Amino acid sequence: MPKNPILQQILLITDGCSNEGTDPVYIAQAARDRGITTSVIGILDEGSLGDQGRREAQNIAEAGGGMCRIVRAADLSSTMQMVTRQSMQLTLHQVVNAELRELMGQDANGLPPETRAKVARMVETLGEEMPVQLALVIDVSASMSTKMPSVKEAIRDLEFGLGARVGRYELTVITYPGAREHAEIQKALAPGESVADAIGLIRPAGNTPTGPALDLAVKSILRAAERLDFTESRPQLDDSDEESGSMRHYVI
Amino acid sequence: MSSDFSIYDRHTQVGLAPLAPGCTLQGKWRGQVYQIMNRIGQGANGTVYLALRGDELVALKVAEDASALSLEHENLARLGTDAAGRRIGPRALEIDDLTLGNRTIPALSMEYVDGMSILDFVRERGVDWLPVLLLRISKLLSSLHERGYVFGDLKPANILFVRASAEARLIDFGGVTVQGQAVKEFTEMFDRAWWGFGSRKADSGYDVCACALLGIHVLGLVQKADVERLAQRAPAERRLWLLARLQDKQFRTPFLEILQQAVIGNYRDTRSFIQEVGKVLEDNPIVASAVQASAVTAVRKPARKRSQPWDVTDWGLLIAIIVFAITLVLLIWL
Ligand SMILES: Nc1ncnc2c1ncn2[C@@H]1O[C@H](COP(=O)(O)OP(=O)(O)OP(=O)(O)O)[C@@H](O)[C@H]1O
């Protein structure tokens, strides 16, 4: 099983192409080497995404061992949930497959479909139950301004969805470009509130430092992993607890 | 053999290259040969083809994610038929890795459902049918609920109505979720939590709400454009918008009232929703008789042959034989 009993995930949400700082594909690759999976959602509407942005999104996801989906802003809620869920499972499958290759010289795809289903069922349960650290990296450059209300609602919705999982979670939101830095970490304004509310004004700047923003996400995940203790027992999940699901995220 | 696909192919929406009509693929584990006819569907997780398996027409779902497909097959095989043998979804045939040249393609074969979507059905045969269609869908849902599962991603693309009998079939068992867990897949327009009417925890009420939202969509009261606009609003505001829309006098009917109650979550269980929709049908003689007629022609036909051997000619024949026998007896006697 994983050396690291926490699933570490980055989800990048953008509508354009990076144009400043380190190559994001390189950062995603480096993150993957440290056990962190990077997935990307590209937003399509009247955006600057284009062929180049699309290709970059796919390359980042490929290097990051994650998935890439290109969607309209209206489909963000379901897509964010789907990508988060599936990329957690993808990470687990990669770990399991590495083990299988070591043990039997072939991965799950080399097994008969029935056995494969058993492995998949196990991975699915693990994906529900394992603690997860998720960093959302959000492009807030000028072209995103019309999509920000949808993005904020989708973040709120994702917190809601993460709260419904069995396992604990820690959510960090990073926006870029930042006021002074390339990227900045957003903190919930008060305990129990959504980080979505903390995301402030759009930067009208033309720079899109995707690489440095991903780098900040990697650093904050690794830093938090040292401090977090997911081993303490979690309060029982009942309906009232679910309502306040966002209480359970620890913002750094 | 293990890495016929790179991660890139599998998960970055580049998708598998389409399969050309006429090409044949052979199953690696089961040995079946499939000949592709044409593409019949495309979803977020796979592509569905009409194919020949021997001389049988089947639906072949091809997906990049072999693990997800194997789970879907398991769900379909286990839950696609209820305890009484009634179809909930298409009959599962087999799961295999198909080879085409040097490519290996995970595929799930199932019964081909010659059907149409709820939107086409209503367009062709009239909106009067809607209560019947929702009733049929909710009966299928109820069968899943009784076994501890929730369908989850109910939407027009995941339901087919068999052309001949108007029976409903749920398609795509990939989103089926164990009750109590978080719903695996959803679509904004049919999602209880998105509309602010409750959680995304899988319970029977989640499916009932989705079913009612489906009806509201078919009635044209919520369109994709509304969802795009409301995506920028909080769930509480979406909720208010929808309730106001349902209150609009111009649309108000007893049936819509039931849908509204179902969306809000006022039915205790799926059965009570089914009962309420059933009452609408009783009050609507045209639809009720249409349903009866279709049920008789679709379901009772074979039964009738067996249980009605005694028509007029049969009785005539019997009487003739008896009369003949009596005459014979009398003749011999005398
Ligand atoms: N057994 C079948 N018989 C006839 N048509 C089918 C069958 N299975 C699927 N289809 C068609 O193919 C379409 C896509 O199938 P399906 O929903 O399984 O794909 P998916 O990738 O899982 O989609 P989704 O986006 O809903 O997750 C369906 O909407 C339906 O029209």
Side-chain angles (χ1 to χ4, degrees), chain B residues 40-46 48 59 61 72 90 110-113 155 157-158 160 171-172 185:
Chain B
I40 49 177
Q42 173 82 60
N45 305 307
V48 181
K61 181 166 178 175
E72 184 175 342
M110 57 194 147
E111 168 195 9
Y112 167 65
V113 178
K155 58 178 177 184
N158 285 345
L160 281 176
I171 303 290
D172 191 0
E185 277 170 33

Side-chain angles (χ1 to χ4, degrees), chain B residues 20-43:
Chain B
C23 75
T24 55
L25 305 99
Q26 175 147 29
K28 184 165 111 183
W29 305 93
R30 308 247 176 240
Q32 281 283 354
V33 174
Y34 293 89
Q35 184 177 11
I36 301 294
M37 311 286 287
N38 56 287
R39 207 183 73 163
I40 49 177
Q42 173 82 60

Side-chain angles (χ1 to χ4, degrees), chain A residues 32 45 55 58-59 61-62 65-79 81-82 85-86 89-90 93-94 97 101 106-114 116-118 120-121 124 128 146-147 149-150 153-154 156-158 160-161 164-166 237-239 242-243, chain B residues 1-3 5-14 28-30 44-45 64-68 70-75 78 95-97 104 106 149 174 176 178 180-188 191 193-194 198-201 224 227-235 237-238:
Chain A
R32 189 184 184 185
D45 324 39
R55 216 170 308 123
Q58 274 160 358
N59 290 342
E62 182 192 4
M67 22 191 312
C68 171
R69 289 286 137 124
I70 312 286
V71 297
R72 300 176 59 82
D75 300 325
L76 260 181
S77 283
S78 59
T79 310
Q81 140 133 349
M82 180 186 74
R85 186 176 160 273
Q86 291 189 3
Q89 293 192 10
L90 188 53
H93 273 293
Q94 286 159 3
N97 280 340
R101 266 193 298 270
Q106 59 182 4
D107 64 17
N109 286 343
L111 299 173
E114 291 75 21
R116 200 183 295 160
K118 288 210 184 88
R121 188 71 68 197
E124 198 176 56
E128 258 292 299
T146 52
K147 297 147 207 159
S150 308
E153 284 314 319
R156 254 188 274 274
D157 205 19
L158 185 68
F160 194 76
R165 272 176 84 244
V166 178
L237 180 76
D238 57 40
D239 280 338
E242 202 174 4
E243 297 299 326
Chain B
M1 114 174 97
S2 54
S3 53
F5 306 107
S6 66
I7 296 294
Y8 182 83
D9 286 334
R10 221 182 295 159
H11 302 284
T12 51
Q13 216 182 29
V14 175
K28 184 165 111 183
W29 305 93
R30 308 247 176 240
N45 305 307
E64 294 110 299
D65 190 339
S67 300
S70 66
L71 285 183
E72 184 175 342
H73 174 254
E74 216 179 67
N75 285 341
R78 201 152 37 104
I95 175 121
D96 208 340
D97 296 325
T104 303
Y149 292 87
V176 172
V178 177
Q181 292 186 352
V183 169
K184 271 198 230 162
E185 277 170 33
F186 66 89
T187 303
E188 281 81 352
D191 173 43
W194 194 86
S199 76
R200 202 167 284 138
K201 195 162 150 178
K224 182 74 183 168
V227 172
E228 295 203 358
R229 198 162 22 82
L230 290 165
Q232 314 210 349
R233 306 292 188 76
E237 294 174 81
R238 296 170 190 153

Side-chain angles (χ1 to χ4, degrees), chain A residues 122-156:
Chain A
M122 184 188 80
V123 162
E124 198 176 56
T125 314
L126 271 179
E128 258 292 299
E129 294 174 354
M130 261 175 82
V132 58
Q133 277 185 286
L134 174 65
L136 287 179
V137 178
I138 296 168
D139 178 351
V140 294
S141 60
S143 62
M144 283 290 286
S145 63
T146 52
K147 297 147 207 159
M148 276 325 283
S150 308
V151 172
K152 287 190 193 183
E153 284 314 319
I155 293 175
R156 254 188 274 274

Side-chain angles (χ1 to χ4, degrees), chain B residues 229-255:
Chain B
R229 198 162 22 82
L230 290 165
Q232 314 210 349
R233 306 292 188 76
E237 294 174 81
R238 296 170 190 153
R239 178 190 168 103
L240 283 179
W241 180 89
L242 184 62
L243 289 177
R245 188 109 173 112
L246 296 177
Q247 289 306 327
D248 193 329
K249 289 223 172 50
Q250 160 190 8
F251 309 123
R252 209 67 193 154
T253 59
F255 180 51

